[in-house]
Amino acid sequence: MLDNVLITGADGFIGSHLTELLVKEGYRVKALCQYNSFNSWGWLEDVYCRKEIEVVSGDIRDSHFCRRITKNADIVFHLAALIAIPYSYLAPQSYVDTNVLGTLNICQAALENSVKRVVHTSTSEVYGTAQYVPIDENHPLQPQSPYSASKIGADAMAMSFFNSFELPVTIARPFNTYGPRQSARAVIPTIISQIAAGKRQIELGDVTPTRDFNYVADTCRGLLELVRCEKAVGETVNIGSNYEISVGDTLCLIRELMNSDVEFLVDTQRLRPGKSEVLRLWCDNTKIRHLTGFEPAYDIRSGLKATVDWFVQPENLAKYKTNRYNV
């Protein structure tokens, strides 16, 4: 068993859940959170295993720092990234600096320190609007936002290290992950938190696009299964449910689960530019099932119920600014 794990972006939504899973599975975890002068560890403040992990603060944009934190690591799960699509319209260079150059730094450091496995986390946004469904790993890549362009670049950088230097990289490509601790920049926590706060009307962007939503525990289990699979080295692998639902139907299901009569209104300021909106995402998860036997444990209803149950707890809801629009 490869014992020593570095998780970049461990202070984030998916990273904090992956940290808990890996500790539960017996790994020794070094968890990277982005340096800040508040000495905040992000969502790592809330994990049950906080005393069982080594937390380090820093920035993947610094190559020297990356070399230092990857020493003695057997596995690197690279999740650190800028991910908010609307903010990428305002600050595209920061996405290149973090997502592309940061990935270069991690891969170079992993190569120099002889890391045995690297799982680089991609996103279904790189596919853009589906040209065919369900979307398999051979689907064309379409940069419909500066964010997705930066992730396409990061994926290519990671795979180049496999092809050029035989760095044992797997590119994991999760479709839309949701669950406890997700940022309110995403639609599911935005709706749940505002309903829980007693809002009677909620302003939204376009609710017609479809998504393949995945509960965070399933995404993390998929990441773990891939790092344990030797046949996944040098491969790009989707993580998804193979189930498609519109954003609008998802919101109606949340409203039903929360026994709410809230009204949804369209706010034109929240609409993406026309060519940038990804209208349809539906995952073909055949490859990960064949490689690892992975099957999602949560369907959309059970995952949303678990998410609602977490958000309605007062101590959790208090962490969200329900009266502000998160970019």
Side-chain angles (χ1 to χ4, degrees):
M1 179 178 176
L2 303 176
D3 291 327
N4 297 317
V5 177
L6 168 68
I7 304 174
T8 72
D11 50 338
F13 160 48
I14 298 175
S16 63
H17 286 278
L18 182 62
T19 297
E20 291 180 314
L21 174 62
L22 294 182
V23 169
K24 194 176 297 181
E25 292 287 326
Y27 293 89
R28 290 191 294 271
V29 174
K30 180 186 291 185
L32 172 64
C33 65
Q34 187 174 28
Y35 172 79
N36 62 88
S37 59
F38 300 104
N39 199 26
S40 168
W41 291 352
W43 286 117
L44 291 175
E45 305 280 4
D46 288 24
V47 297
Y48 80 89
C49 55
R50 192 167 59 165
K51 295 181 180 179
E52 301 172 54
I53 60 178
E54 177 189 355
V55 179
V56 293
S57 296
D59 196 318
I60 61 168
R61 293 174 296 180
D62 189 300
S63 60
H64 304 285
F65 175 76
C66 290
R67 283 196 291 272
R68 183 167 67 81
I69 61 172
T70 51
K71 285 182 179 178
N72 302 316
D74 296 311
I75 299 170
V76 173
F77 286 96
H78 178 41
L79 282 77
L82 281 176
I83 61 174
I85 293 168
Y87 186 59
S88 79
Y89 303 139
L90 305 176
Q93 183 176 330
S94 61
Y95 283 70
V96 174
D97 291 345
T98 299
N99 297 351
V100 182
L101 296 180
T103 297
L104 168 61
N105 291 338
I106 288 294
C107 289
Q108 185 68 51
L111 182 66
E112 293 178 10
N113 287 318
S114 301
V115 172
K116 297 179 179 67
R117 289 296 303 274
V118 177
V119 175
H120 165 71
T121 308
S122 179
T123 169
S124 58
E125 283 285 326
V126 302
Y127 293 126
T129 296
Q131 295 184 16
Y132 61 84
V133 292
I135 297 171
D136 60 21
E137 291 81 359
N138 296 317
H139 188 284
L141 306 183
Q142 303 176 104
Q144 290 183 220
S145 66
Y147 164 64
S148 64
S150 73
K151 292 298 287 185
I152 290 171
D155 294 356
M157 185 62 69
M159 191 56 71
S160 77
F161 269 73
F162 170 74
N163 290 325
S164 300
F165 311 114
E166 298 184 345
L167 182 68
V169 171
T170 300
I171 296 178
R173 192 163 281 160
F175 278 62
N176 296 74
T177 302
Y178 69 96
R181 305 181 193 143
Q182 187 175 18
S183 164
R185 59 161 192 82
V187 66
I188 287 176
T190 291
I191 298 308
I192 294 174
S193 61
Q194 290 189 68
I195 293 176
K199 294 288 181 69
R200 306 297 301 171
Q201 293 182 328
I202 297 177
E203 294 182 335
L204 300 164
D206 190 356
V207 297
T208 60
T210 67
R211 295 292 183 261
D212 187 316
F213 287 114
N214 295 272
Y215 188 63
V216 64
D218 285 330
T219 295
C220 291
R221 177 59 63 180
L223 292 169
L224 180 56
E225 294 292 345
L226 288 175
V227 86
R228 289 174 169 175
C229 176
E230 288 301 320
K231 291 182 179 179
V233 173
E235 298 291 337
T236 297
V237 187
N238 290 340
I239 303 176
S241 67
N242 200 13
Y243 175 76
E244 179 185 32
I245 185 172
S246 73
V247 173
D249 286 344
T250 304
L251 303 185
C252 290
L253 182 52
I254 293 170
R255 184 164 56 186
E256 175 194 330
L257 289 169
M258 298 185 73
N259 297 313
S260 170
D261 58 359
V262 69
E263 182 182 6
F264 297 132
L265 305 175
V266 174
D267 178 5
T268 56
Q269 292 184 345
R270 301 179 188 227
L271 298 174
R272 292 195 201 181
K275 293 182 180 179
S276 186
E277 179 63 78
V278 174
L279 299 174
R280 192 176 191 190
L281 290 175
W282 174 6
C283 174
D284 184 333
N285 63 6
T286 301
K287 189 171 183 178
I288 191 172
R289 287 192 288 108
H290 285 175
L291 283 172
T292 71
F294 168 82
E295 292 286 353
Y298 290 81
D299 61 16
I300 186 67
R301 178 176 285 272
S302 60
L304 286 176
K305 184 179 185 308
T307 305
V308 167
D309 289 346
W310 184 86
F311 269 93
V312 298
Q313 298 300 315
E315 63 272 21
N316 297 329
L317 186 61
K319 294 178 169 66
Y320 290 80
K321 299 179 177 69
T322 57
N323 61 336
R324 292 182 63 88
Y325 169 49
N326 276 42
V327 176

